[in-house]
Amino acid sequence: MIKYPSNISSNNKEETSSLSYKNRGLSLESMINDTNKFYVFHDKALIYKKPTPIHIVKIDNKEKVIKEAFFEMPSTTDYNGIYKGKYIDFEAKETKSKTSFTLSNIHPHQIKHLKKVKEMGGIAFLIIYFTLLDKAFLYFIDDYENYFNKENNKKSIPLEELIKNGHEIKISLFPPLDYLKIIDELFF
Amino acid sequence: MIKYPSNISSNNKEETSSLSYKNRGLSLESMINDTNKFYVFHDKALIYKKPTPIHIVKIDNKEKVIKEAFFEMPSTTDYNGIYKGKYIDFEAKETKSKTSFTLSNIHPHQIKHLKKVKEMGGIAFLIIYFTLLDKAFLYFIDDYENYFNKENNKKSIPLEELIKNGHEIKISLFPPLDYLKIIDELFF
């Protein structure tokens, strides 16, 4: 089932005729969730997005309805699970920039968490999606560390660094973002 | 820092003088969360509780306040993470019964998830806590399966089965529920 964004009218030929996944109006989160569902369905991996934590202020216990709540900062990353016996953990972010990814998008404690995962024998990475370029990269936490050890005070990762040391994830239809293909090539 | 429940008055000697962890008024969830924090602090493991998923109905985007939301059924289990390179996944439940654990407390899709984790090379189990007995058991999904293959139509797990084929987790102070000790003895 392909969902088109509601703002695409039938006379907007350019957008509706494109086969690009991006033009289906799906966010990075949707692409990853669909990919993870594909993996679970085919018994390939069990990887899920963690729900966003909320702090509940008011609740109607009788009706079991939350009446007031705030979003909390997640203590770890958004996605984790198991693939071929290995623990997988990653954070996924998109950017509208065409040239670099600004690091303020990722919390320092998430980077720290990913480093710890790596130290403990897990597979830890970022997925960075350039929406306007329709390009996605898998970037291992080791490469992230190497880059920042060399380049102090950097506030962003340029696209060239991701092309050089990251791994482009092919954007397709089924699954939309087959990131485990890269894990396969490098680990198994 | 030991928190006592607010309803214990100073003349309630019996409760305040007890060293039992239960009498500190902590739930199974608190014991596991404190244990997991202990593990993270000592770089032993990275295991976290997933937030409860909610379905947001109404949100004040200006103030970033959720105005109406419902709890959703979790698609997997409550806890997962990594220990010594291994993927760990479990569900934790408490019961007020002194004799058995009723299975309606666990959703079938959670059992299915734990079986899949095991098949993929992860370590999958239940933690069952008898609040009135102050006893906790780690029960591997394999033992759960064995029990139900032998005993069809059973609607609960008797305490004897947990004593026989489960593994009692010692309830202590730091950490309150050292369940990885059992994983150590059996896997490493």
Side-chain angles (χ1 to χ4, degrees):
Chain A
M1 187 189 62
I2 297 178
K3 279 190 204 158
Y4 290 96
S6 55
N7 61 344
I8 294 181
S9 63
S10 57
N11 52 11
N12 191 339
K13 288 274 165 31
E14 202 177 273
E15 272 192 78
T16 48
S17 64
S18 167
L19 276 172
S20 161
Y21 206 88
K22 183 187 64 176
N23 288 333
R24 285 169 52 194
L26 289 185
S27 63
L28 176 61
E29 184 179 326
S30 303
M31 288 199 286
I32 293 176
N33 288 347
D34 286 358
T35 302
N36 289 343
K37 277 181 202 162
F38 178 93
Y39 292 152
V40 170
F41 183 81
H42 291 281
D43 280 331
K44 187 176 166 83
L46 295 171
I47 299 166
Y48 290 91
K49 184 177 189 295
K50 293 178 205 166
T52 308
I54 59 156
H55 175 75
I56 296 172
V57 179
K58 222 191 298 178
I59 188 163
D60 182 335
N61 270 315
K62 212 171 149 193
E63 307 243 344
K64 299 212 170 176
V65 180
I66 298 160
K67 288 294 185 187
E68 193 180 336
F70 296 88
F71 292 108
E72 279 186 340
M73 194 182 294
S75 46
T76 61
T77 45
D78 271 357
Y79 301 89
N80 76 350
I82 182 169
Y83 178 52
K84 294 187 180 172
K86 280 274 191 187
Y87 176 75
I88 303 281
D89 198 308
F90 64 97
E91 183 64 25
K93 294 286 180 192
E94 55 184 43
T95 177
K96 280 179 181 161
S97 163
K98 288 180 178 177
T99 55
S100 70
F101 175 74
T102 307
L103 288 173
S104 58
N105 284 317
I106 299 179
H107 298 292
H109 69 270
Q110 293 182 315
I111 295 297
K112 202 179 148 197
H113 172 80
L114 288 171
K115 283 182 191 173
K116 278 197 173 185
V117 166
K118 178 65 204 332
E119 281 164 26
M120 288 194 185
I123 298 175
F125 52 88
L126 304 170
I127 290 180
I128 299 168
Y129 178 49
F130 292 78
T131 53
L132 298 179
L133 304 173
D134 200 18
K135 280 188 182 298
F137 296 89
L138 188 154
Y139 194 46
F140 288 105
I141 194 68
D142 280 1
D143 294 316
Y144 176 98
E145 271 191 278
N146 287 340
Y147 181 71
F148 284 93
N149 287 344
K150 276 185 302 186
E151 312 268 343
N152 260 328
N153 299 316
K154 283 273 178 184
K155 292 206 162 44
S156 65
I157 307 167
L159 180 61
E160 296 84 56
E161 162 62 16
L162 293 171
I163 291 171
K164 196 179 158 204
N165 293 312
H167 305 267
E168 190 171 348
I169 310 167
K170 210 181 147 226
I171 295 175
S172 178
L173 278 174
F174 308 108
L177 207 66
D178 191 6
Y179 59 90
L180 289 181
K181 207 180 163 206
I182 290 157
I183 304 299
D184 268 335
E185 285 163 9
L186 296 168
F187 287 85
F188 300 108
Chain B
M1 189 189 63
I2 297 179
K3 278 188 203 158
Y4 290 97
S6 55
N7 61 345
I8 295 180
S9 63
S10 57
N11 53 9
N12 190 340
K13 289 273 166 29
E14 203 179 272
E15 271 193 78
T16 48
S17 64
S18 167
L19 277 172
S20 162
Y21 205 88
K22 183 187 66 177
N23 288 334
R24 285 171 51 195
L26 289 185
S27 63
L28 175 61
E29 185 179 325
S30 302
M31 288 199 285
I32 293 175
N33 287 346
D34 285 357
T35 302
N36 288 343
K37 277 180 202 163
F38 179 93
Y39 292 153
V40 170
F41 183 81
H42 291 280
D43 279 332
K44 188 176 165 82
L46 296 171
I47 299 166
Y48 290 90
K49 183 177 190 296
K50 292 179 205 166
T52 308
I54 60 157
H55 176 75
I56 296 172
V57 179
K58 223 191 296 177
I59 188 163
D60 182 334
N61 269 315
K62 214 171 150 194
E63 308 243 344
K64 298 212 171 177
V65 181
I66 298 159
K67 289 292 184 189
E68 191 180 336
F70 297 88
F71 292 108
E72 279 187 339
M73 193 181 295
S75 45
T76 62
T77 45
D78 271 356
Y79 300 90
N80 77 348
I82 182 170
Y83 178 52
K84 295 187 179 172
K86 280 273 192 186
Y87 177 75
I88 304 281
D89 198 309
F90 65 96
E91 184 63 24
K93 294 286 179 193
E94 55 184 43
T95 176
K96 282 180 181 160
S97 163
K98 289 179 177 177
T99 54
S100 70
F101 176 75
T102 307
L103 288 172
S104 57
N105 285 317
I106 299 179
H107 297 293
H109 69 270
Q110 293 181 315
I111 295 297
K112 202 180 147 195
H113 172 79
L114 287 171
K115 283 183 193 174
K116 278 196 173 187
V117 167
K118 177 67 204 330
E119 281 164 25
M120 288 194 185
I123 298 175
F125 53 88
L126 304 170
I127 290 180
I128 298 168
Y129 178 49
F130 291 78
T131 53
L132 298 178
L133 305 174
D134 199 20
K135 280 189 182 295
F137 295 90
L138 188 154
Y139 194 47
F140 287 106
I141 194 68
D142 281 2
D143 294 316
Y144 176 98
E145 272 192 277
N146 287 339
Y147 180 71
F148 284 93
N149 287 343
K150 277 186 302 190
E151 312 269 343
N152 259 329
N153 298 318
K154 282 271 177 185
K155 293 208 162 42
S156 66
I157 308 168
L159 179 60
E160 295 85 57
E161 161 62 14
L162 293 171
I163 291 171
K164 195 179 158 205
N165 293 313
H167 306 265
E168 191 172 349
I169 310 166
K170 209 181 149 228
I171 295 174
S172 180
L173 278 175
F174 308 107
L177 207 66
D178 191 6
Y179 59 90
L180 289 182
K181 206 179 165 208
I182 290 157
I183 304 299
D184 269 334
E185 285 163 9
L186 296 168
F187 287 85
F188 299 109

